[in-house]
Amino acid sequence: MSSIARELGRAPSTVTREVAANGGRDHYGAWKGRCRARDSSRRPKTRKLAHRPLAVQVSAWLEELWSPQEIAERLRIVFPNDPMMHVSHETIYQSLFVQGRGELRRELARCLRSGRTVRRPQGRTERGARITDM
């Protein structure tokens, strides 16, 4: 595993985890791993805010100028036993900033305290990057 990791320029734990998840040392199949990765990353995925009662509640609180962080925390307090009514602040932001496709109306983005309707790009990490020359 160490020599394979060195050859690929990856941490040995990454290679070990990949092999274990796809049949183990004796039954590893690269194609099986490839298919599993493709299936788990299928797009488009159903958005969490497609759940109508959740979208209505989030919209109402956004119109009252609550922050996405406040909304996410409050949902867990108000609906402690209903995981369909739990959402992260990041999901709320993503829904607001996906123009034309978001479950929440575009004008709700204007309810944000910053008033911005477009996100500022943040630094990108190499985590999850594809292995070159695979």
Side-chain angles (χ1 to χ4, degrees), residues 76-96:
R76 291 188 182 276
I77 293 168
V78 175
F79 304 100
N81 299 319
D82 188 359
M84 288 300 292
M85 291 298 285
H86 297 177
V87 67
S88 72
H89 67 281
E90 184 60 29
T91 301
I92 296 170
Y93 277 118
Q94 286 178 359
S95 203
L96 289 170

Side-chain angles (χ1 to χ4, degrees), residues 30-88:
W31 184 250
K32 184 166 67 173
R34 163 75 178 96
C35 291
R36 189 175 67 88
R38 182 198 64 221
D39 291 343
S40 69
S41 68
R42 281 267 158 93
R43 298 288 189 258
K45 292 190 178 191
T46 305
R47 297 220 176 251
K48 180 86 176 191
L49 285 166
H51 182 59
R52 187 79 184 131
L54 176 61
V56 168
Q57 186 63 64
V58 169
S59 296
W61 284 339
L62 280 170
E63 287 171 353
E64 293 177 19
L65 301 180
W66 286 32
S67 74
Q69 182 71 40
E70 290 170 332
I71 294 169
E73 290 174 13
R74 189 64 175 174
L75 284 169
R76 291 188 182 276
I77 293 168
V78 175
F79 304 100
N81 299 319
D82 188 359
M84 288 300 292
M85 291 298 285
H86 297 177
V87 67
S88 72

Side-chain angles (χ1 to χ4, degrees), residues 1-6 9-19:
M1 299 294 170
S2 296
S3 63
I4 293 170
R6 234 185 338 273
R10 297 286 184 246
S13 61
T14 303
V15 175
T16 303
R17 189 172 39 251
E18 172 69 15
V19 170

Side-chain angles (χ1 to χ4, degrees), residues 117-128:
T117 57
V118 179
R119 280 190 112 166
R120 289 186 204 144
Q122 300 294 316
R124 301 282 178 192
T125 63
E126 291 298 316
R127 184 177 176 92

